[in-house]
Amino acid sequence: MSSGITVDDECKNAFQDLKVTHDYKFVLFKISDDNKAIIVDTTSLGPYEDMEKVDPAEKDAKLAARKAAKEKLSQKPELEIYESFVKLLPENECRYAVYDFAYQKDGSDRNKILFYAWSPDTAKIKNKMVYASSKDSLRKSLIGVAQDVQATDLEEASYETALDKVLRTAR
């Protein structure tokens, strides 16, 4: 089922920044207020800014600021970053997200990109229906996601639940 809601190019760009250059640990997406497109809501470094669209006179300063924020974030423990991600999930509204999940298996560090469909029990039915019918268009545009997580409450979005999920399927 398709809702006719498009995926904004910034979603794909932000995902590439997460996947390829590891600029972000996570990216949250939402449906625009006019219900026409899926857009970037926020990232692990704050509001998203597509560097391809930044004024060239400001680009170096913005890239330096992003690098500094990324370095500061990399000093935080994985659990702390994950908890800050979960806190950004709205209590009464749906969201999509991708998270570059770091974990250890057999003594080695690993990463998997998880796709989240956040649909809290407290969200309005219409909001849930629009998000459910639009999920596939976003999900199919994000090439490289390892696993999907459907969460309706904080327990299903918890670090322990995500870790259990990746460990069960890790090879």
Side-chain angles (χ1 to χ4, degrees):
M1 179 165 74
S2 176
S3 65
I5 294 175
T6 62
V7 177
D8 190 275
D9 286 341
E10 285 189 350
C11 296
K12 298 170 200 166
N13 295 343
F15 178 71
Q16 288 302 314
D17 289 345
L18 176 139
K19 182 175 103 173
V20 178
T21 62
H22 303 283
D23 282 351
Y24 306 114
K25 280 293 290 176
F26 60 82
V27 179
L28 271 75
F29 307 98
K30 68 178 186 175
I31 294 176
S32 62
D33 293 338
D34 62 6
N35 282 346
K36 292 188 177 185
I38 299 171
I39 59 174
V40 176
D41 184 16
T42 192
T43 73
S44 55
L45 301 181
Y48 177 71
E49 193 162 24
D50 189 343
M51 288 299 152
E52 299 300 317
K53 297 179 181 177
V54 170
D55 182 343
E58 299 175 10
K59 191 170 187 174
D60 287 341
K62 289 189 182 260
L63 283 171
R66 181 188 277 187
K67 183 178 179 183
K70 180 180 165 184
E71 179 63 29
K72 184 177 178 184
L73 183 67
S74 72
Q75 302 303 314
K76 292 183 178 184
E78 178 71 20
L79 181 57
E80 185 178 328
I81 297 168
Y82 192 87
E83 287 173 350
S84 68
F85 159 68
V86 171
K87 286 179 183 174
L88 290 172
L89 297 172
E91 184 179 340
N92 299 313
E93 295 178 29
C94 299
R95 288 292 186 273
Y96 307 114
V98 285
Y99 191 98
D100 187 4
F101 193 84
Y103 65 101
Q104 285 196 332
K105 180 163 173 138
D106 301 327
S108 63
D109 293 336
R110 298 180 184 206
N111 287 63
K112 279 194 179 185
I113 297 174
L114 305 178
F115 176 84
Y116 286 80
W118 171 249
S119 183
D121 292 330
T122 55
K124 293 181 180 177
I125 296 295
K126 182 177 180 182
N127 188 250
K128 290 181 186 184
M129 290 174 58
V130 170
Y131 271 80
S133 64
S134 304
K135 179 180 119 180
D136 282 347
S137 61
L138 175 63
R139 178 63 181 86
K140 288 177 182 175
S141 71
L142 305 178
I143 308 300
V145 170
Q147 284 187 279
D148 290 18
V149 177
Q150 173 70 42
T152 60
D153 60 33
L154 294 177
E155 177 66 28
E156 292 176 343
S158 73
Y159 178 83
E160 293 77 15
T161 301
L163 180 61
D164 181 56
K165 190 170 188 93
V166 298
L167 289 176
R168 276 188 282 132
T169 60
R171 289 181 228 142

